[in-house]
Amino acid sequence: MKSTFYTEEHDAFRAIVREFVEREVKSNLARWEDERLIDRQPWLAAGKQGVVGIPFPEEYGGAGQSDYRFRAIVKEELARVNATSLDGAFGINEDIVGCYIAELGTEEQKARYLPGMSSGEIVSSIAMTEPGAGSDLRGIRTSAVRDGDEWVINGSKTFITNGISSDVVVVAARTDQTEGRSGLSLLIVDTGTPGFERGRKLDKVGMHAQDTAELFFDNVRVPATNLLGTEGRGLPHLMERLPRERMSIAWYAIGSAEAVLDWTIDYTTNRRAYGAPIIDLQNTRFALAEMQTELDVTRAFLEAATLNLNAGELTAVDAAKAKWWSTELQKRVTDRCLQLHGGYGYMMEYPVGRAFIDSRIQTIYGGTTEVMKEIIGRDIAAAR
């Protein structure tokens, strides 16, 4: 079925992204995995090529492009070479922190951070999750107390993407301790600020090149002007922007699953068993047919949701549907494709092996599948 989702302008941009991926990413993937860290070179190269900074205003060095299809192309091209960790790193800058600053920040904040984020010189992270607070942001205990012209931050965060490499962190902290109030605010912290410390680089099941870390705040003092958005409105600020983050995860899920299926079609075409290619076995053809159909149907939903996102009409419920369904599908497809690779699927020299371990987090971060279903279920119940 022919899609008109992408235009010639998108195709031209894809050629730029693909060239960047071939030149700067593909040959470095194994090294990044071994070193458990992505160096700054791909960030700087991406900045020069316009692969990052896509949604940021032109006056701050970005492309000023609100059409999310351009971000989807970046994610598809990274997925094509299995660059899951780099996609996650870019996603924090592009779809979360950078957009928060662009939409909520003061002119001074935008001028201070967005040019560097557009050029790849500034790497960011967002510190929401805590040891006792994951998907339920109301459980956040990190505090920020106003002291004259400063905020004093105390607390700890965990599972923070770009935690080791980031230059700036947006911190969700409790600024109102009144019982029964959400009282969360967002504060910008430069990582060189006294009292800020990085903890362990966490040892994860997958996404080994992605530096995920613990962060600690011990009487960290930042200027009052580092408040991002409105005091006490941190939770609404986060909730209003979660649909974009969830679409970001959903797009990588579909891109990765499609890439894995393509590798598997090639493998089953060339691998022989019982005197014939594996693809000639009915079980293989049925499996491939089922996965291709599910992916095509899912892509159609994501394309429609993306056009709604572009129009400012994507609901939190539809974003939750896109996130849970596409990531669970990615998990199923990757597992099934690994099975079709047989013993070679379990070998890390085949990309399906790394795709398998990297995909497992997709149904957890950005809101677990169970939380996504709860959001959808509550909406259904409220409509009765």
Side-chain angles (χ1 to χ4, degrees):
M1 184 181 297
K2 184 175 176 58
S3 171
T4 58
F5 183 64
Y6 291 122
T7 67
E8 290 183 2
E9 185 180 3
H10 295 112
D11 293 339
F13 179 69
R14 186 184 296 278
I16 293 172
V17 178
R18 183 164 294 186
E19 193 275 333
F20 159 77
V21 169
E22 290 294 324
R23 186 185 71 252
E24 301 289 345
V25 177
K26 195 172 179 179
S27 63
N28 289 310
L29 289 172
R31 177 173 63 83
W32 294 337
E33 288 286 306
D34 289 342
E35 294 177 357
R36 297 295 200 264
L37 192 69
I38 298 169
D39 57 53
R40 288 300 177 99
Q41 180 54 33
W43 288 92
L44 297 173
K48 290 179 180 178
Q49 291 293 105
V51 176
V52 295
I54 294 170
F56 308 153
E58 292 182 64
E59 59 265 37
Y60 301 113
Q65 185 52 260
S66 61
D67 181 353
Y68 198 77
R69 287 175 288 186
F70 288 98
R71 279 288 296 133
I73 287 168
V74 175
K75 301 179 90 53
E76 288 174 335
E77 292 303 311
L78 290 174
R80 190 175 59 83
V81 299
N82 225 11
T84 309
S85 294
L86 185 60
D87 171 75
F90 281 178
I92 294 295
N93 256 36
E94 298 286 287
D95 297 322
I96 304 178
V97 176
C99 286
Y100 282 31
I101 292 174
E103 294 170 9
L104 299 171
T106 63
E107 291 305 314
E108 189 275 333
Q109 290 169 346
K110 295 175 188 178
R112 194 192 330 168
Y113 298 109
L114 292 182
M117 295 176 78
S118 297
S119 67
E121 295 172 284
I122 292 179
V123 175
S124 67
S125 58
I126 186 161
M128 290 191 287
T129 304
E130 297 182 1
S135 295
D136 183 7
L137 298 177
R138 291 174 177 81
I140 286 174
R141 290 291 173 263
T142 295
S143 66
V145 177
R146 185 68 179 263
D147 182 19
D149 291 332
E150 295 180 317
W151 288 100
V152 183
I153 306 171
N154 283 282
S156 63
K157 301 288 183 177
T158 193
F159 306 149
I160 307 305
T161 302
N162 296 344
I164 297 296
S165 59
S166 59
D167 305 293
V168 59
V169 184
V170 171
V171 183
R174 189 165 296 282
T175 52
D176 185 346
Q177 305 300 321
T178 305
E179 189 71 27
R181 294 186 184 178
S182 62
L184 294 181
S185 299
L186 303 179
L187 293 156
I188 301 174
V189 178
D190 294 304
T191 55
T193 306
F196 171 83
E197 291 186 12
R198 308 179 201 269
R200 296 177 299 151
K201 187 195 312 184
L202 301 173
D203 188 14
K204 306 186 298 296
V205 171
M207 294 183 71
H208 295 149
Q210 174 51 252
D211 56 307
T212 305
E214 301 169 320
L215 302 180
F216 299 99
F217 304 84
D218 182 11
N219 289 321
V220 173
R221 287 181 172 270
V222 298
T225 53
N226 279 30
L227 177 71
L228 181 60
T230 304
E231 181 181 342
R233 294 277 301 166
L235 187 58
H237 288 333
L238 294 170
M239 300 303 291
E240 288 161 5
R241 288 157 184 81
L242 279 174
R244 183 184 180 96
E245 177 186 355
R246 287 167 180 162
M247 287 299 294
S248 173
I249 296 170
W251 267 109
Y252 191 81
I254 192 75
S256 177
E258 288 174 343
V260 169
L261 181 59
D262 284 345
W263 305 332
T264 305
I265 292 170
D266 288 343
Y267 179 83
T268 56
T269 300
N270 294 300
R271 178 72 173 174
R272 299 176 68 85
Y274 306 108
I278 297 174
I279 201 168
D280 286 347
L281 299 172
Q282 187 184 66
N283 177 72
T284 303
R285 293 200 303 271
F286 278 15
L288 296 176
E290 290 166 5
M291 290 186 286
Q292 186 68 71
T293 302
E294 285 189 286
L295 288 170
D296 288 349
V297 172
T298 301
R299 172 170 281 275
F301 183 86
L302 289 185
E303 290 180 357
T306 299
L307 295 179
N308 284 339
L309 177 65
N310 286 348
E313 298 172 356
L314 180 66
T315 66
V317 172
D318 282 345
K321 292 174 183 176
K323 198 274 178 183
W324 90 258
W325 176 262
S326 60
T327 55
E328 291 287 349
L329 177 60
Q330 176 192 9
K331 194 168 66 172
R332 291 198 307 276
V333 167
T334 306
D335 181 77
R336 203 168 187 185
C337 286
L338 188 150
Q339 184 73 20
L340 288 172
H341 277 74
Y344 287 107
Y346 204 63
M347 300 296 108
M348 293 303 288
E349 64 190 84
Y350 279 74
V352 69
R354 193 168 77 242
F356 177 77
I357 60 173
D358 285 352
S359 68
R360 189 60 189 87
I361 188 60
Q362 288 276 86
T363 61
I364 298 172
Y365 64 9
T368 64
T369 291
E370 292 74 20
V371 169
M372 297 302 97
K373 291 180 179 179
E374 178 66 12
I375 290 170
I376 300 163
R378 286 180 181 178
D379 183 69
I380 294 169
R384 293 295 180 182

